[in-house]
Amino acid sequence: MCRKLSAEAGTSEPQGADRLWRGNQLAGPPVVSEEQQLNLLSTLDLGQEMPTPRVSKSFLSLLFQVLSVLLSLVGDALVSVYREVCSVRFLFTAVSLLSIFLAALWWGLLYLIPPLENEPKEMLTLSEYHERVRSQGQQLQQLQAELDKLNKEVSSVRAVHSERVAKLVFQRLNEDFVRKPDYALSSVGASIDLEKTSHDYEDTNTAYFWNRFSFWNYARPPSVILEPDVFPGNCWAFEGDQGQVVIRLPGRVQLSDITLQHPPPSVAHTGGANSAPRDFAVFGLQADDETEVFLGKFTFDVQKSEIQTFHLQNDPPSAFPKVKIQILSNWGHPRFTCLYRVRAHGVRTSEGEGDRATGATGGPH
């Protein structure tokens, strides 16, 4: 009962105060006396404290753990770096890498970079460089023009002399194939009539003592012109530019052609063919050696083939036992003339046929 009364008394007091405040609000600004202020303070529960904010202990402990782990990691890293820097292995590795780098740099300077002495001593401007390039290009063009000119000249020379070279090669390959029988050949019985033949040339400047012996004498006899061996120096020489040789044929022959052969100037040891015969005449001799029949006059041209055949004027044909070759001039040699080979072509007849043919001509020409 006492508790109920006290509760009602407690509630009645606040209600009275509330009523008083509301009346004051309606009446105007309240006027609070000191006694009322003391009553109001007495109503407040000064024993009650303000609530303090509470922080979770688990969050703080987690934060402290993270910070400690981070600090320990940073410290370990700093310690390891310091140890690695201060270690001998790091120093050895650094020195090795530095030495390898320096060796590679030195090798590059020696082998990859051109020597300094090959570098131009003076620096050229762009215009000077272009000028030098242009001048060198002009020189190259001039050289190319000269090469083209030489090529054209060589081509023209080849074109001009191609036919001549072809003929010369053909003649060289077929020089022994005149395709006519040769009766002025020692192997078939031909010989030289030395009594009616000019004397041999004697060179007094080279007439040494041992050349007077036959086996040391280099002068060739007239019979060499009846041999097929034709090479420089193997010839019969007579003095001057005029002379003759009489060939005794192996029988009576109706002469039709005469062939003379002389090496070309390109293979002559003296550098030319001025000792070759030029103008010559051919005569047919009868058995009495007194009757001569003129068979023609001809010219041997050394600029043409080395083997030249001349057709004789033996019409109607007559048979002769001998033939005479009379040299009238040579190609300019002042001391002697050389004969290399003489060939006589025709048809060989019997003695009776030759006499009848001679009688039919009505005597000598």
Side-chain angles (χ1 to χ4, degrees), residues 105-127:
L105 182 61
W106 179 254
W107 182 82
L109 292 175
L110 288 180
Y111 295 98
L112 299 182
I113 300 177
L116 296 178
E117 56 268 13
N118 294 336
E119 296 293 331
K121 297 181 179 180
E122 56 179 358
M123 298 299 293
L124 299 177
T125 62
L126 185 59
S127 60

Side-chain angles (χ1 to χ4, degrees), residues 38-52:
L38 292 175
N39 292 330
L40 288 174
L41 289 175
S42 62
T43 61
L44 294 177
D45 190 3
L46 298 177
Q48 295 181 354
E49 295 180 355
M50 295 297 293
T52 57

Side-chain angles (χ1 to χ4, degrees), residues 70-100:
L70 290 177
L71 290 176
S72 64
L73 290 177
V74 172
D76 293 340
L78 292 176
V79 170
S80 61
V81 169
Y82 176 77
R83 290 178 179 179
E84 189 67 22
V85 169
C86 296
S87 65
V88 178
R89 183 177 60 184
F90 175 79
L91 295 177
F92 178 77
T93 304
V95 171
S96 300
L97 293 176
L98 182 60
S99 62
I100 293 173

Side-chain angles (χ1 to χ4, degrees), residues 31 44 76 104 121 170 189 201 205 211 231 233 260 267 298 346 349:
V31 177
L44 294 177
D76 293 340
K121 297 181 179 180
F170 181 80
Y201 172 71
N205 295 329
N211 283 345
F231 51 86
L260 265 63
V267 299
F298 311 97
T349 62

Side-chain angles (χ1 to χ4, degrees), residues 70-286:
L70 290 177
L71 290 176
S72 64
L73 290 177
V74 172
D76 293 340
L78 292 176
V79 170
S80 61
V81 169
Y82 176 77
R83 290 178 179 179
E84 189 67 22
V85 169
C86 296
S87 65
V88 178
R89 183 177 60 184
F90 175 79
L91 295 177
F92 178 77
T93 304
V95 171
S96 300
L97 293 176
L98 182 60
S99 62
I100 293 173
F101 174 75
L102 292 177
L105 182 61
W106 179 254
W107 182 82
L109 292 175
L110 288 180
Y111 295 98
L112 299 182
I113 300 177
L116 296 178
E117 56 268 13
N118 294 336
E119 296 293 331
K121 297 181 179 180
E122 56 179 358
M123 298 299 293
L124 299 177
T125 62
L126 185 59
S127 60
E128 292 176 348
Y129 176 76
H130 285 298
E131 182 65 23
R132 287 193 177 184
V133 171
R134 188 180 62 83
S135 62
Q136 292 178 358
Q138 292 178 355
Q139 293 178 0
L140 290 176
Q141 291 178 357
Q142 292 177 357
L143 291 176
Q144 185 65 33
E146 292 180 359
L147 289 176
D148 294 339
K149 184 178 179 181
L150 291 176
N151 190 17
K152 291 181 180 179
E153 291 179 356
V154 171
S155 300
S156 62
V157 170
R158 288 178 179 175
V160 170
H161 295 284
S162 59
E163 184 177 358
R164 182 177 179 183
V165 171
K167 288 183 178 180
L168 181 60
V169 171
F170 181 80
Q171 291 170 0
R172 289 290 180 85
L173 294 175
N174 301 277
E175 60 183 0
D176 292 332
F177 300 94
V178 184
R179 299 183 183 278
K180 293 182 179 181
D182 181 16
Y183 293 100
L185 195 62
S186 61
S187 60
V188 299
S191 60
I192 301 295
D193 189 349
L194 296 178
E195 294 181 357
K196 296 183 178 298
T197 300
S198 301
H199 296 288
D200 300 344
Y201 172 71
E202 294 183 0
D203 190 357
T204 57
N205 295 329
T206 59
Y208 297 104
F209 174 76
W210 49 82
N211 283 345
R212 298 186 183 275
F213 297 95
S214 61
F215 56 86
W216 284 107
N217 192 1
Y218 293 99
R220 307 298 293 166
S223 60
V224 73
I225 68 174
L226 308 179
E227 301 293 337
D229 299 330
V230 177
F231 51 86
N234 190 33
C235 65
W236 171 61
F238 59 87
E239 188 173 359
D241 59 350
Q242 295 182 357
Q244 67 180 23
V245 59
V246 176
I247 302 174
R248 188 182 294 110
L249 302 175
R252 300 183 67 87
V253 179
Q254 293 180 1
L255 297 174
S256 61
D257 301 278
I258 286 291
T259 298
L260 265 63
Q261 182 176 355
H262 193 282
S266 59
V267 299
H269 290 177
T270 58
N274 54 359
S275 63
R278 184 170 185 174
D279 299 323
F280 66 97
V282 181
F283 297 89
L285 275 64
Q286 297 296 345

